[in-house]
Amino acid sequence: MLQAGRTTPPSSSSPSPSSSSSSSSPPSSSSSSPTSALLEFGEARGDGDGVGDGAGDGDGGDPGDPLNPGVLSDLFVRVGGSDIHDASIHTMVKIHSGNVVGDNVWLWRADHTRLRPGETPRVHHTIPGATEDYHLTVMGEYEVATGIAVEGDDVSMYGLAVEHTTRDQLVWSGERGHTLFYQCELPYDVDTESFGHMNYTGYRVMDHVQDHHATGVGR
C-alpha cells in the first residue's frame, strides 16, 4: 500500500518517512505541484501535455516489451484516511512505460477520516438513532487532482477503481489502452462551479487517442 499522510502522531525519535509516504510538510495543494505523484512506472519523456512527443503516441517513455510486460498487481494507494493530518498529491499513479498490465488497483482519496478534535458526530443519514462517527472530507482537504494518468501505449487494466479525486479521476493518453472493469466514485465535497463547470469526469481518454477499449465501466 502507498499512502500520503501519517496514521500515527509524530515523535522526535521517529525516522524519516519513506519515499512512498508524505513528510510532515506535504504539497500544500494538488495544483501547486502538477508533477507530483506517489508512484511512477517508467521514465517520463516529452513535455507532459499528453500529445505524441514521447516514445509512444502520448508522453510515454520506455515502450516496454510485449513479451515481458510490466505488472502492477494488488495495488492500494490512498491520500488521507484514518488520521486527521492533511496530505495532498497531484496524481496518485503515473504510467509512463508501454506494455504494462495492472491487476486489482484501487486508488482512493479519503472521503472520510477520524473525527477532528472537538467535532461532534453527525446523525446518520440512513439509520434512525445512529451517528456517523467520522469526519466527512470537505473542499480543500486531502487534495488530489487525478487518480491515474496512463501515458504509455499498450497498457491494460483489469479491475481498476479510482475514488473521490477533485479533477479527472483517470486520464488516458496512450494508444491501444484496454480496461476491463472500472469502478469510480466522484468526489462528494466539490461543487458545480469547481467540478461540473470545469467538465471534469470519471474516465477521460484524450482527444488525440485513436484506439482505446473499455468494458464494464461504471460508478
mmCIF file of all heavy atoms in Angstrom, residues 60-87:
data_model
loop_
_atom_site.group_PDB
_atom_site.id
_atom_site.type_symbol
_atom_site.label_atom_id
_atom_site.label_comp_id
_atom_site.label_asym_id
_atom_site.label_seq_id
_atom_site.Cartn_x
_atom_site.Cartn_y
_atom_site.Cartn_z
ATOM 1 N N GLY A 60 4.419 8.873 -23.178
ATOM 2 C CA GLY A 60 5.082 7.725 -22.600
ATOM 3 C C GLY A 60 6.561 7.692 -22.927
ATOM 4 O O GLY A 60 7.010 8.197 -23.939
ATOM 5 N N GLY A 61 7.341 7.065 -22.058
ATOM 6 C CA GLY A 61 8.769 6.958 -22.274
ATOM 7 C C GLY A 61 9.119 5.599 -22.849
ATOM 8 O O GLY A 61 8.900 5.319 -24.019
ATOM 9 N N ASP A 62 9.650 4.714 -22.023
ATOM 10 C CA ASP A 62 10.023 3.365 -22.425
ATOM 11 C C ASP A 62 8.831 2.649 -23.052
ATOM 12 O O ASP A 62 7.775 2.540 -22.434
ATOM 13 C CB ASP A 62 10.508 2.615 -21.177
ATOM 14 C CG ASP A 62 10.952 1.192 -21.475
ATOM 15 O OD1 ASP A 62 10.896 0.771 -22.647
ATOM 16 O OD2 ASP A 62 11.345 0.501 -20.519
ATOM 17 N N PRO A 63 8.944 2.119 -24.274
ATOM 18 C CA PRO A 63 7.809 1.432 -24.888
ATOM 19 C C PRO A 63 7.499 0.098 -24.241
ATOM 20 O O PRO A 63 6.416 -0.466 -24.470
ATOM 21 C CB PRO A 63 8.247 1.250 -26.344
ATOM 22 C CG PRO A 63 9.736 1.251 -26.283
ATOM 23 C CD PRO A 63 10.098 2.224 -25.185
ATOM 24 N N GLY A 64 8.411 -0.436 -23.410
ATOM 25 C CA GLY A 64 8.164 -1.713 -22.781
ATOM 26 C C GLY A 64 8.327 -2.872 -23.749
ATOM 27 O O GLY A 64 8.696 -2.701 -24.912
ATOM 28 N N ASP A 65 8.032 -4.077 -23.256
ATOM 29 C CA ASP A 65 8.224 -5.296 -24.030
ATOM 30 C C ASP A 65 6.937 -6.107 -24.012
ATOM 31 O O ASP A 65 6.519 -6.593 -22.956
ATOM 32 C CB ASP A 65 9.366 -6.119 -23.424
ATOM 33 C CG ASP A 65 9.695 -7.370 -24.223
ATOM 34 O OD1 ASP A 65 8.947 -7.696 -25.175
ATOM 35 O OD2 ASP A 65 10.691 -8.037 -23.883
ATOM 36 N N PRO A 66 6.274 -6.283 -25.146
ATOM 37 C CA PRO A 66 5.018 -7.048 -25.157
ATOM 38 C C PRO A 66 5.205 -8.506 -24.757
ATOM 39 O O PRO A 66 4.250 -9.152 -24.320
ATOM 40 C CB PRO A 66 4.548 -6.926 -26.616
ATOM 41 C CG PRO A 66 5.773 -6.608 -27.398
ATOM 42 C CD PRO A 66 6.627 -5.786 -26.491
ATOM 43 N N LEU A 67 6.422 -9.037 -24.872
ATOM 44 C CA LEU A 67 6.690 -10.417 -24.470
ATOM 45 C C LEU A 67 7.074 -10.525 -22.991
ATOM 46 O O LEU A 67 7.116 -11.635 -22.443
ATOM 47 C CB LEU A 67 7.808 -11.009 -25.333
ATOM 48 C CG LEU A 67 7.517 -11.061 -26.836
ATOM 49 C CD1 LEU A 67 8.701 -11.659 -27.586
ATOM 50 C CD2 LEU A 67 6.236 -11.842 -27.108
ATOM 51 N N ASN A 68 7.346 -9.393 -22.377
ATOM 52 C CA ASN A 68 7.700 -9.372 -20.956
ATOM 53 C C ASN A 68 7.167 -8.084 -20.329
ATOM 54 O O ASN A 68 7.924 -7.203 -19.921
ATOM 55 C CB ASN A 68 9.222 -9.458 -20.787
ATOM 56 C CG ASN A 68 9.639 -9.587 -19.339
ATOM 57 O OD1 ASN A 68 8.879 -10.055 -18.488
ATOM 58 N ND2 ASN A 68 10.851 -9.134 -19.037
ATOM 59 N N PRO A 69 5.823 -7.959 -20.240
ATOM 60 C CA PRO A 69 5.233 -6.694 -19.793
ATOM 61 C C PRO A 69 5.493 -6.427 -18.320
ATOM 62 O O PRO A 69 5.717 -7.344 -17.521
ATOM 63 C CB PRO A 69 3.738 -6.902 -20.060
ATOM 64 C CG PRO A 69 3.557 -8.385 -19.988
ATOM 65 C CD PRO A 69 4.814 -8.978 -20.557
ATOM 66 N N GLY A 70 5.461 -5.158 -17.971
ATOM 67 C CA GLY A 70 5.499 -4.783 -16.558
ATOM 68 C C GLY A 70 4.157 -5.085 -15.911
ATOM 69 O O GLY A 70 3.116 -5.121 -16.578
ATOM 70 N N VAL A 71 4.158 -5.285 -14.592
ATOM 71 C CA VAL A 71 2.939 -5.661 -13.873
ATOM 72 C C VAL A 71 2.790 -4.812 -12.620
ATOM 73 O O VAL A 71 3.741 -4.640 -11.853
ATOM 74 C CB VAL A 71 2.959 -7.155 -13.493
ATOM 75 C CG1 VAL A 71 1.720 -7.501 -12.661
ATOM 76 C CG2 VAL A 71 3.017 -8.036 -14.728
ATOM 77 N N LEU A 72 1.583 -4.292 -12.420
ATOM 78 C CA LEU A 72 1.177 -3.659 -11.166
ATOM 79 C C LEU A 72 0.026 -4.492 -10.612
ATOM 80 O O LEU A 72 -1.064 -4.500 -11.185
ATOM 81 C CB LEU A 72 0.709 -2.221 -11.399
ATOM 82 C CG LEU A 72 1.760 -1.202 -11.811
ATOM 83 C CD1 LEU A 72 1.085 0.111 -12.211
ATOM 84 C CD2 LEU A 72 2.738 -0.953 -10.675
ATOM 85 N N SER A 73 0.262 -5.199 -9.514
ATOM 86 C CA SER A 73 -0.732 -6.151 -9.017
ATOM 87 C C SER A 73 -1.069 -5.863 -7.558
ATOM 88 O O SER A 73 -0.179 -5.601 -6.737
ATOM 89 C CB SER A 73 -0.188 -7.575 -9.152
ATOM 90 O OG SER A 73 -1.152 -8.523 -8.749
ATOM 91 N N ASP A 74 -2.377 -5.906 -7.243
ATOM 92 C CA ASP A 74 -2.853 -5.725 -5.867
ATOM 93 C C ASP A 74 -2.295 -4.441 -5.259
ATOM 94 O O ASP A 74 -1.686 -4.448 -4.182
ATOM 95 C CB ASP A 74 -2.472 -6.928 -4.997
ATOM 96 C CG ASP A 74 -3.090 -8.224 -5.497
ATOM 97 O OD1 ASP A 74 -4.219 -8.182 -6.026
ATOM 98 O OD2 ASP A 74 -2.441 -9.278 -5.370
ATOM 99 N N LEU A 75 -2.533 -3.338 -5.935
ATOM 100 C CA LEU A 75 -2.000 -2.040 -5.518
ATOM 101 C C LEU A 75 -3.102 -1.193 -4.890
ATOM 102 O O LEU A 75 -4.126 -0.920 -5.509
ATOM 103 C CB LEU A 75 -1.408 -1.307 -6.721
ATOM 104 C CG LEU A 75 -0.826 0.077 -6.465
ATOM 105 C CD1 LEU A 75 0.381 -0.006 -5.547
ATOM 106 C CD2 LEU A 75 -0.448 0.746 -7.791
ATOM 107 N N PHE A 76 -2.894 -0.782 -3.638
ATOM 108 C CA PHE A 76 -3.826 0.091 -2.931
ATOM 109 C C PHE A 76 -3.094 1.381 -2.579
ATOM 110 O O PHE A 76 -2.087 1.359 -1.881
ATOM 111 C CB PHE A 76 -4.347 -0.591 -1.663
ATOM 112 C CG PHE A 76 -5.203 0.285 -0.774
ATOM 113 C CD1 PHE A 76 -6.051 1.249 -1.314
ATOM 114 C CD2 PHE A 76 -5.163 0.148 0.605
ATOM 115 C CE1 PHE A 76 -6.840 2.059 -0.505
ATOM 116 C CE2 PHE A 76 -5.950 0.948 1.433
ATOM 117 C CZ PHE A 76 -6.784 1.902 0.874
ATOM 118 N N VAL A 77 -3.606 2.491 -3.094
ATOM 119 C CA VAL A 77 -2.998 3.802 -2.851
ATOM 120 C C VAL A 77 -4.054 4.702 -2.223
ATOM 121 O O VAL A 77 -5.194 4.749 -2.689
ATOM 122 C CB VAL A 77 -2.489 4.424 -4.164
ATOM 123 C CG1 VAL A 77 -1.870 5.787 -3.893
ATOM 124 C CG2 VAL A 77 -1.492 3.511 -4.855
ATOM 125 N N ARG A 78 -3.663 5.397 -1.163
ATOM 126 C CA ARG A 78 -4.620 6.331 -0.571
ATOM 127 C C ARG A 78 -3.919 7.622 -0.179
ATOM 128 O O ARG A 78 -2.732 7.628 0.148
ATOM 129 C CB ARG A 78 -5.324 5.720 0.625
ATOM 130 C CG ARG A 78 -4.527 5.704 1.912
ATOM 131 C CD ARG A 78 -5.327 5.043 3.027
ATOM 132 N NE ARG A 78 -4.694 5.214 4.328
ATOM 133 C CZ ARG A 78 -5.108 4.609 5.426
ATOM 134 N NH1 ARG A 78 -6.150 3.801 5.377
ATOM 135 N NH2 ARG A 78 -4.492 4.815 6.585
ATOM 136 N N VAL A 79 -4.692 8.708 -0.207
ATOM 137 C CA VAL A 79 -4.232 10.004 0.279
ATOM 138 C C VAL A 79 -5.219 10.425 1.358
ATOM 139 O O VAL A 79 -6.406 10.601 1.091
ATOM 140 C CB VAL A 79 -4.170 11.049 -0.843
ATOM 141 C CG1 VAL A 79 -3.785 12.411 -0.288
ATOM 142 C CG2 VAL A 79 -3.191 10.604 -1.921
ATOM 143 N N GLY A 80 -4.723 10.575 2.589
ATOM 144 C CA GLY A 80 -5.595 10.785 3.736
ATOM 145 C C GLY A 80 -6.042 9.440 4.273
ATOM 146 O O GLY A 80 -5.525 8.395 3.899
ATOM 147 N N GLY A 81 -7.004 9.463 5.165
ATOM 148 C CA GLY A 81 -7.504 8.189 5.659
ATOM 149 C C GLY A 81 -7.861 8.219 7.117
ATOM 150 O O GLY A 81 -8.653 9.045 7.536
ATOM 151 N N SER A 82 -7.225 7.344 7.897
ATOM 152 C CA SER A 82 -7.694 7.117 9.258
ATOM 153 C C SER A 82 -7.341 8.241 10.224
ATOM 154 O O SER A 82 -7.921 8.336 11.295
ATOM 155 C CB SER A 82 -7.103 5.806 9.784
ATOM 156 O OG SER A 82 -5.685 5.867 9.791
ATOM 157 N N ASP A 83 -6.381 9.078 9.874
ATOM 158 C CA ASP A 83 -5.942 10.112 10.800
ATOM 159 C C ASP A 83 -6.443 11.482 10.375
ATOM 160 O O ASP A 83 -7.147 11.617 9.386
ATOM 161 C CB ASP A 83 -4.420 10.120 10.880
ATOM 162 C CG ASP A 83 -3.807 10.414 9.517
ATOM 163 O OD1 ASP A 83 -3.982 9.588 8.624
ATOM 164 O OD2 ASP A 83 -3.188 11.474 9.365
ATOM 165 N N ILE A 84 -6.054 12.510 11.119
ATOM 166 C CA ILE A 84 -6.560 13.857 10.844
ATOM 167 C C ILE A 84 -5.533 14.747 10.170
ATOM 168 O O ILE A 84 -5.813 15.909 9.898
ATOM 169 C CB ILE A 84 -7.039 14.532 12.151
ATOM 170 C CG1 ILE A 84 -5.860 14.721 13.126
ATOM 171 C CG2 ILE A 84 -8.161 13.737 12.788
ATOM 172 C CD1 ILE A 84 -6.212 15.508 14.372
ATOM 173 N N HIS A 85 -4.332 14.233 9.906
ATOM 174 C CA HIS A 85 -3.285 15.052 9.305
ATOM 175 C C HIS A 85 -3.543 15.229 7.811
ATOM 176 O O HIS A 85 -3.881 14.283 7.113
ATOM 177 C CB HIS A 85 -1.920 14.405 9.530
ATOM 178 C CG HIS A 85 -1.592 14.210 10.973
ATOM 179 N ND1 HIS A 85 -1.281 15.251 11.814
ATOM 180 C CD2 HIS A 85 -1.542 13.086 11.729
ATOM 181 C CE1 HIS A 85 -1.051 14.789 13.032
ATOM 182 N NE2 HIS A 85 -1.198 13.479 13.012
ATOM 183 N N ASP A 86 -3.357 16.455 7.336
ATOM 184 C CA ASP A 86 -3.632 16.740 5.937
ATOM 185 C C ASP A 86 -2.519 16.180 5.055
ATOM 186 O O ASP A 86 -1.384 16.009 5.480
ATOM 187 C CB ASP A 86 -3.783 18.241 5.712
ATOM 188 C CG ASP A 86 -4.500 18.555 4.411
ATOM 189 O OD1 ASP A 86 -5.127 17.631 3.850
ATOM 190 O OD2 ASP A 86 -4.422 19.697 3.953
ATOM 191 N N ALA A 87 -2.864 15.886 3.818
ATOM 192 C CA ALA A 87 -1.911 15.392 2.826
ATOM 193 C C ALA A 87 -2.451 15.736 1.464
ATOM 194 O O ALA A 87 -3.655 15.921 1.286
ATOM 195 C CB ALA A 87 -1.724 13.877 2.961
#
